[in-house]
Amino acid sequence: MNSFEEVKKELYKYENLGIEKFENGTILIGKALHIAPLAWLNKIYPVLNEDDILLIENELKTEVPLDYKNFLINFSNGLNIFVATFSLYGLRKVLGRSVEASRQPFSIFTPNSFERPENSKDHYFFIGGYNWDGSNLYIDKQTNKVHYCDRWDATSLFEWNSFDEMIVSEVKRITNLFDEKGVVLDENKYTTPIEIK
């Protein structure tokens, strides 16, 4: 089983709570009625194509790391799990506050252009984060390792050897923080890879 199949298996554990598929390829898995009538636990977005990747690279003036490009083209244009407890960034194609606009990933441009943490190197490519405290994930393009860091400081606090290792381990770890209805088991327990004090 490859990493994307493992991730999909974890996300689809909640399909008994509802699933909705849209023509554009967006898949919503697990209604989160305990949060709001239109809330969903997990969101998989339509994949990107090479032109979309070029748009990102031209805007950011840097290449998308190969492992992340593979994710965006072959699995999902970003990802939100457990109502954005953990998010991977992607290309937002629709602006506004409509329902359609809300069913898109968080923008990959924001952390890579406007909100880069201190100590960021040019070869750090920010790919995601955690809503617990706004902390970040980035790929070091020189090593292909994925790093976890504070919201405003890119000093590595935790690392994975690859994107595949990170996504599988994080999705599994976070899934274990929620019950079968998608309700968090302990609201006081941090949802980040390590606790930042």
Side-chain angles (χ1 to χ4, degrees):
M1 185 182 307
N2 70 33
S3 60
F4 297 159
E5 290 171 345
E6 287 189 67
V7 168
K8 198 171 182 179
K9 181 180 173 186
E10 291 296 316
L11 301 183
Y12 272 83
K13 284 181 178 177
Y14 294 87
E15 69 179 317
N16 64 306
L17 300 176
I19 190 163
E20 199 166 334
K21 297 180 181 181
F22 296 85
E23 282 185 33
N24 70 357
T26 298
I27 303 170
L28 307 178
I29 306 164
K31 283 190 175 180
L33 297 175
H34 60 283
I35 295 174
L38 297 178
W40 291 83
L41 295 174
N42 301 320
K43 298 177 182 178
I44 300 173
Y45 303 106
V47 295
L48 298 182
N49 59 41
E50 289 289 346
D51 288 340
D52 296 323
I53 298 295
L54 283 175
L55 188 154
I56 293 171
E57 292 180 335
N58 288 337
E59 180 73 24
L60 295 176
K61 297 178 178 52
T62 190
E63 290 184 3
V64 175
L66 189 58
D67 288 347
Y68 202 62
K69 178 179 175 181
N70 181 45
F71 168 75
L72 295 171
I73 289 176
N74 294 302
F75 186 72
S76 181
N77 171 28
L79 190 67
N80 284 323
I81 72 165
F82 292 100
V83 196
T85 294
F86 170 73
S87 300
L88 293 173
Y89 307 140
L91 178 63
R92 290 183 67 87
K93 296 185 175 185
V94 178
L95 299 176
R97 297 183 179 269
S98 66
V99 173
E100 182 185 359
S102 72
R103 292 186 178 142
Q104 295 184 91
F106 293 119
S107 175
I108 201 163
F109 297 134
T110 304
N112 283 292
S113 293
F114 314 115
E115 295 181 3
R116 287 181 74 81
E118 289 183 26
N119 304 317
S120 296
K121 309 280 193 242
D122 289 342
H123 51 273
Y124 292 179
F125 191 89
F126 290 86
I127 60 167
Y130 302 83
N131 72 356
W132 178 264
D133 59 1
S135 50
N136 296 295
L137 289 173
Y138 63 88
I139 295 175
D140 181 335
K141 294 197 288 184
Q142 291 184 341
T143 64
N144 289 322
K145 290 185 176 184
V146 178
H147 296 266
Y148 167 71
C149 70
D150 188 69
R151 181 174 188 172
W152 303 116
D153 185 342
T155 302
S156 180
L157 301 171
F158 191 86
E159 72 176 34
W160 296 265
N161 290 319
S162 68
F163 176 78
D164 285 351
E165 179 186 307
M166 180 281 296
I167 193 170
V168 171
S169 65
E170 281 302 271
V171 169
K172 286 182 176 181
R173 180 185 67 79
I174 291 168
T175 299
N176 287 327
L177 300 176
F178 293 81
D179 70 13
E180 68 281 353
K181 292 187 178 177
V183 177
V184 68
L185 295 170
D186 182 354
E187 290 184 5
N188 296 313
K189 178 163 176 61
Y190 60 91
T191 58
T192 53
I194 60 169
E195 185 175 17
I196 300 178
K197 296 183 180 183

